[in-house]
Amino acid sequence: MKNQSIPYKIYLNESQMPTAWYNLRADMKNKPAPLLNPGTMEPMTAQELSGVFCDELIRQELDNTTAYFPIPEAIRSFYKMYRPSPLVRAYCLEEKLGTPAKIYYKFEGNNTSGSHKLNSAIAQAYYAKEQGLKGVTTETGAGQWGTALSMACAYFGLDCKVYMVKVSYEQKPFRREVMRTYGASVTPSPSMETEVGRKILQEHPGTTGSLGCAISEAVEKAVSTPGYRYVLGSVLNQVLLHQSVIGLETKAALDQYGIQPDIIIGCAGGGSNLGGLIAPFMGQKLRGEADYRIIAVEPASCPSFTRGKYAYDFCDTGMVCPLAKMYTLGSGFIPAPNHAGGLRYHGMSSVLSQLYHDGLMEAVSVKQTEVFQAAEYFARVEGILPAPESAHAIKTAIDEAVKCRETGQEKTIVFGLTGTGYFDMVAYEKFHDGNMSDYIPTDEELQKSFDKLPRA
Amino acid sequence: MKNQSIPYKIYLNESQMPTAWYNLRADMKNKPAPLLNPGTMEPMTAQELSGVFCDELIRQELDNTTAYFPIPEAIRSFYKMYRPSPLVRAYCLEEKLGTPAKIYYKFEGNNTSGSHKLNSAIAQAYYAKEQGLKGVTTETGAGQWGTALSMACAYFGLDCKVYMVKVSYEQKPFRREVMRTYGASVTPSPSMETEVGRKILQEHPGTTGSLGCAISEAVEKAVSTPGYRYVLGSVLNQVLLHQSVIGLETKAALDQYGIQPDIIIGCAGGGSNLGGLIAPFMGQKLRGEADYRIIAVEPASCPSFTRGKYAYDFCDTGMVCPLAKMYTLGSGFIPAPNHAGGLRYHGMSSVLSQLYHDGLMEAVSVKQTEVFQAAEYFARVEGILPAPESAHAIKTAIDEAVKCRETGQEKTIVFGLTGTGYFDMVAYEKFHDGNMSDYIPTDEELQKSFDKLPRA
């Protein structure tokens, strides 16, 4: 075993936990492009957004200049129930790989939602409650966000209505039951409950659903139900703001031991985990205080960074939401049914899209089977059964560590282990049984989807 | 929120982690009764046990005098991957209950096996590996032990063969897949793979199985396969020894803040969690250094302490194992099929049985529906979805805290939260749907089972 002066797990004390979220946008020279009103093609105003989102969340969404937002006391109390999360030194993985690299991961899976999603869910539920709302609606893909929001709503006594992408609903029967334990109602999407759901079902009978489609349903439900607003678990600026708690804790833990990372790796679906993990590091990079290689990892079956267009697009399939400028596969894009787990959104956070566009970070795509190989390898070596989403980052971290073995470089790699895979055993079973395919969209398929992008 | 000088979660540093297990038997004036050879009715010798168990584990099993066993370095390294586990102050639960009681729980669910079982699994796998064995066999009920052993065997490169109680196998389809991820093979028990399994199936066609029956199969398999030994996740002295790490950490964390508990509560199936949690506290009690109320909580549907006989009995249904003196419902006892989760073993650890017999601890039984009510309440308030087993302790801890509310007493309650319920959603679903029953064995049923106890 290597130098043990750095413990296996670095836990901050409660007194070292962040008291404010960090807003990366404040340090961006090129600000992320604003949301546009699809009718006027003008930036959405707070007024226009207020039917959909909570007021305070709109303020956070639109504020590109305030660097720090204090975390309200009630949210900090809740955070203390499951945070700080450990920054783990992967001694066993390093030894097994025979790499001189030093590998750390920020493990966000030690809470009942099984992922980092709770960090933003509790914030969004808090502001909804403060505003005197009765409940919120949302969508969920892999189910982590829906579970997190259910927990947050139970804590503040809010009603919670979740539209769950149908393919996940079917692959993860027990996710529904967890949400139910927390008092939420869960509807497979597309459903007959909403106008947009009925329309999508008519046009695409037998569709397994998509996040974009579930968003449309959740937004329609919120807008048409008095006392309700819509909340979202990724993509939005506000979500990245809340998730900065991941990066802030990671940086504090590294700083405590004088560790300077070389490479920071995160999986990327809509960008909530990646944006949160990298926030303070990217801030340093933007201010010229430090340099890091930052790598986004996405599924080859849903490759918005690596094969998408940087363009204004609808955030949802039903086109009821504003337009966002982002790397996108087109709002009609739906990953092939064989695609397991989350990271299935057609677009990417506007903040991350701008940073990627400006060359401040890299992106790679990885195939499903190699992701599950990495997941199983990691589970056996490090003892944690990862969510498929998280395993994308594991795969790339292992790749980088193996490169270090070949070059002899002692790089320090930090990656985000966003969650656990307890509810993904159907996908693991497919992998074990050799029934997992690596289908990747063809250029023609993508072009067909790009053709439907709105004209800017 | 109350006095915050005690954090929500007390984590020990790695340097404060126990370096030796504590053997409670060393401080017991009345030693636990020895295992008997069913042929001779004489205490089993190390020689006789060596076909079934690993040599070092036999030494630990039979040693009633050595107070501390050093934890080998390789096991301590593995412990560092998921330990120390947090001792959580249940501030939110206290506030919700409006109780002056101070409630703490030792949370053992933050590892992939989802429970405390890993503490002994890694030790047993280590000694098997040290002895040069090829693999181990075992049984599992709720599936936590099987998962833990799979993880431990993957770590040391041992083969792992698990017999899983059929009713659990069917209620928890994904448990099998997790074990498979760790390379184990899983067989629903009773099976046609063993002589004893075939015999039980012939006598009780359609049986949903029991731990006692799965033990018989696993032992037969181990004894008949060269290079294999049998390992067990509860009941045995060696298991309680390894699990003392729970109590030692709990005590160290409490001592650090000068906290003196009044009541210590643990769920009890075979006794692994309870025996581990209470070990150092009971040690103090035995040495006259401190006094505590210690409460074992068991299911009313499998009430070995509260309704069993204190007698020599077979450890398994097939009667292939030695006899143990314990509180028992009879080795043929099988909980009604409606019984959810673990805590389904017919007997209780000989150590705990002796302590209970000597009036050093109390026992209560609780009904299934009230256990799930407590589980859901706790999940919503404290954010952790508990395993049904753990929820037995939660139920009793809440009962004691409510008593404090009524009497105004500021008691300090510590309970063991042994694991998470992610794989128990079928049971939660039954509860939500109102399909859970509270069947309790009748006196006649128990008498019928007692009538088959071996004559001492």
Side-chain angles (χ1 to χ4, degrees), chain A residues 1 4 6-9 11 14 77 79-84 92 109-114 151 154-155 171 173-174 176-178 180-183 376 379-385 422-423 425-426 428-429 432-433, chain B residues 1 4 6-9 11 14 77 79-84 92 109-114 151 154-155 171 173-174 176-178 180-183 376 379-385 422-423 425-426 428-429 432-433:
Chain A
M1 206 52 66
Q4 297 281 320
I6 293 165
Y8 277 66
K9 295 182 256 76
Y11 278 108
E14 280 183 10
S77 280
Y79 277 171
K80 285 180 190 166
M81 286 209 288
Y82 71 100
R83 307 199 67 81
C92 297
N110 272 351
N111 70 73
T112 291
S113 78
M151 291 175 68
Y155 187 74
Q171 276 189 356
F174 298 155
R176 185 202 61 222
E177 220 41 52
V178 180
R180 220 171 145 201
T181 301
Y182 286 95
E376 185 167 281
R380 291 187 185 190
V381 175
E382 284 285 320
I384 294 173
L385 184 80
Y422 304 127
F423 292 100
M425 297 323 293
V426 168
Y428 272 92
E429 186 173 12
H432 292 144
D433 292 342
Chain B
M1 204 52 68
Q4 296 282 319
I6 293 165
Y8 277 65
K9 295 182 255 77
Y11 279 109
E14 280 183 10
S77 279
Y79 277 170
K80 285 180 191 166
M81 287 209 288
Y82 72 99
R83 308 199 67 82
C92 297
N110 272 350
N111 70 73
T112 291
S113 78
M151 291 176 67
Y155 188 74
Q171 276 188 357
F174 297 155
R176 184 202 62 221
E177 221 40 54
V178 180
R180 218 172 148 200
T181 300
Y182 287 95
E376 185 167 282
R380 292 187 185 189
V381 174
E382 285 285 319
I384 294 172
L385 185 80
Y422 304 129
F423 292 100
M425 296 323 293
V426 168
Y428 272 93
E429 188 173 10
H432 292 144
D433 293 341

Side-chain angles (χ1 to χ4, degrees), chain B residues 49-227:
Chain B
L49 289 168
S50 68
V52 180
F53 297 124
C54 306
D55 297 343
E56 176 58 26
L57 292 168
I58 293 169
R59 202 173 72 79
Q60 296 178 359
E61 188 65 28
L62 299 179
D63 188 336
N64 285 340
T65 53
T66 306
Y68 287 94
F69 285 79
I71 307 175
E73 183 57 38
I75 298 174
R76 289 171 59 195
S77 279
F78 188 89
Y79 277 170
K80 285 180 191 166
M81 287 209 288
Y82 72 99
R83 308 199 67 82
S85 69
L87 181 71
V88 186
R89 172 74 183 267
Y91 281 117
C92 297
L93 181 62
E94 292 171 18
E95 192 169 305
K96 192 85 175 178
L97 291 172
T99 178
K102 294 173 182 64
I103 309 173
Y104 295 85
Y105 54 91
K106 181 70 168 169
F107 181 42
E108 292 286 320
N110 272 350
N111 70 73
T112 291
S113 78
S115 83
H116 66 293
K117 295 284 184 181
L118 197 51
N119 301 330
S120 184
I122 192 65
Q124 298 194 45
Y126 169 80
Y127 292 117
K129 186 71 183 178
E130 283 292 291
Q131 198 175 320
L133 296 175
K134 200 181 149 201
V136 292
T137 71
T138 199
E139 77 298 323
T140 197
Q144 295 170 337
W145 166 248
T147 311
L149 189 68
S150 306
M151 291 176 67
C153 286
Y155 188 74
F156 286 123
L158 280 169
D159 186 40
C160 179
K161 180 138 192 66
V162 181
Y163 291 88
M164 186 168 185
V165 177
K166 194 176 277 172
V167 62
S168 292
Y169 185 89
E170 282 160 8
Q171 276 188 357
K172 302 183 175 189
F174 297 155
R175 272 281 180 204
R176 184 202 62 221
E177 221 40 54
V178 180
M179 294 187 236
R180 218 172 148 200
T181 300
Y182 287 95
S185 73
V186 189
T187 308
S189 166
S191 77
M192 296 297 283
E193 275 185 18
T194 63
E195 211 170 297
V196 66
R198 288 188 292 271
K199 183 159 168 271
I200 290 166
L201 279 172
Q202 200 165 31
E203 286 170 13
H204 307 277
T207 176
T208 53
S210 71
L211 265 184
C213 162
I215 291 173
S216 299
E217 290 205 81
V219 170
E220 180 186 320
K221 187 77 183 179
V223 171
S224 61
T225 314

Side-chain angles (χ1 to χ4, degrees), chain B residues 355-436:
Chain B
L355 293 167
Y356 182 62
H357 184 68
D358 290 342
L360 289 154
M361 50 186 279
E362 308 165 31
V364 296
S365 76
V366 288
K367 290 187 188 167
Q368 195 158 246
T369 305
E370 61 189 12
V371 165
F372 275 83
Q373 274 161 355
E376 185 167 282
Y377 183 86
F378 184 83
R380 292 187 185 189
V381 174
E382 285 285 319
I384 294 172
L385 185 80
E389 299 82 41
S390 321
H392 287 71
I394 293 172
K395 161 69 182 152
T396 300
I398 290 176
D399 286 349
E400 291 295 331
V402 167
K403 276 187 215 162
C404 286
R405 183 177 67 202
E406 286 157 9
T407 62
Q409 288 181 292
E410 284 191 36
K411 291 198 176 159
T412 295
I413 300 169
V414 174
F415 72 90
L417 188 68
T418 54
T420 50
Y422 304 129
F423 292 100
D424 298 283
M425 296 323 293
V426 168
Y428 272 93
E429 188 173 10
K430 265 192 193 163
F431 169 67
H432 292 144
D433 293 341
N435 294 331
M436 183 160 270

